[in-house]
Amino acid sequence: MTTTFVLLPGAGSDSWYWHLVAPRLRSEGYDVLTPDLPWTDAGAGLAEYTDVVVDAIGERSGVVLVAQSMSGFVAPMVCERVPVELMILVAAMTPKSGESPGEWWAATGQEQAQREKADREGRAVEFDVREMFFHDVPDEVTEQAFERGEHNPSDTPFQKPWPLAAWPDVPTRFLLCRDDRLFPAEFQRRVVEQRLGIVPDEMEGGHLPALARPEELTEKLLAYVRSS
């Protein structure tokens, strides 16, 4: 059976986010899908994002679903509709039943955790995209990202509650990034244990490991598959 990696980007991002990881996985003989989610479409929410992924998977089997950041809300919904062998959450949001993505931030204490990390490191609390997300991404990759322009997500997906009654019964791994400024490591350790009942794995780097550390992230993903 062929293993298919399905790589989901975070809010406002697209398949380009995985452009340094996908070729590495393909070179190891794996099928790779990088569906673009309609983040900017005001008529689309979590259900529509899920439809896009399910349609992209089609009849494929041996699916390994990898979800970055806000796609942590989408991946479990996909698992309810297609057979998934393994779900890997990377620097992801972990919802609970009835909680909308907009409510998640206050419910988990994310803002306080982000502020406390900034204070410890002597950084300004004010939001800056480069400082928050690209502080460890190579300059040339950062410039490519900014040249591609912004894809600000619509408010729609943040408004409706996550519809699942519980997390799906699918083998799940969580990979946090120790220098993530948006979702600090100690915050993720607590939330993941509370909501998933597992201890997350860890790697170095910030919130965008597929851009900052693609080789290391690829090796982590391959290790998960080979040990499953």
Side-chain angles (χ1 to χ4, degrees), residues 143-205:
E143 293 312 311
Q144 290 174 30
F146 279 83
E147 286 172 4
R148 299 180 78 254
E150 296 184 4
H151 304 280
N152 293 326
S154 76
D155 293 333
T156 303
F158 295 92
Q159 297 169 359
K160 293 184 179 180
W162 192 59
L164 303 189
W167 278 75
D169 185 18
V170 171
T172 301
R173 304 296 294 266
F174 194 104
L175 181 61
L176 67 80
C177 299
R178 295 193 188 98
D179 196 28
D180 191 334
R181 294 178 176 180
L182 184 67
F183 303 150
E186 63 276 10
F187 162 82
Q188 289 283 43
R189 295 182 190 114
R190 171 178 58 80
V191 173
V192 171
E193 183 174 5
Q194 289 175 346
R195 297 193 166 195
L196 297 182
I198 62 176
V199 176
D201 299 308
E202 304 187 12
M203 65 178 285
E204 298 300 325

Side-chain angles (χ1 to χ4, degrees), residues 9-11 39 46 49 68-74 91-93 101 157-158 183:
W39 298 115
L46 297 177
Y49 302 164
Q68 165 78 18
S69 198
M70 189 175 162
S71 279
F73 272 83
V74 179
M93 299 168 73
F158 295 92
F183 303 150

